[in-house]
């Protein structure tokens, strides 16, 4: 393998590793967003249940 082929394959490997890292970061961010939305939905449901219980208590 010539020097330029070695450099080219090293650059290709580095580029693939960078793309892989970006994809992992993106997937991690998606998962974080999904968990945050789930937590927000659970908190909203709890707040609604609390409001309903309080309303029943006063009526």
């Amino acid at each position: 393998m010539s020097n330029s082929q070695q450099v080219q394959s090293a650059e290709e490997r580095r580029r693939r590793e960078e793309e892989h890292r970006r994809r992992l970061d993106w997937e991690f961010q998606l998962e974080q967003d999904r968990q945050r939305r789930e937590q927000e939905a659970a908190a909203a449901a709890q707040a609604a249940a609390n409001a309903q219980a309080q309303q029943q208590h006063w009526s």
Side-chain angles (χ1 to χ4, degrees), residues 38-51:
E38 277 183 5
Q39 289 171 349
E40 288 171 353
Q46 184 64 53
N50 289 348

Side-chain angles (χ1 to χ4, degrees), residues 6-54:
Q6 285 177 331
V7 168
Q8 194 173 14
S9 66
E11 287 175 354
E12 180 68 22
R13 187 169 53 249
R14 186 195 57 73
R15 190 181 59 76
R16 277 197 309 268
E17 288 170 356
E18 178 62 28
E19 284 177 4
H20 183 64
R21 199 166 28 253
R22 269 200 303 265
R23 177 162 188 87
L24 290 177
D25 287 348
W26 179 72
E27 289 174 355
F28 176 76
Q29 196 59 52
L30 280 181
E31 179 61 18
Q32 293 290 101
D33 291 346
R34 185 189 66 75
Q35 288 179 10
R36 183 177 43 76
R37 282 193 306 272
E38 277 183 5
Q39 289 171 349
E40 288 171 353
Q46 184 64 53
N50 289 348
Q52 190 173 20
Q54 196 171 27

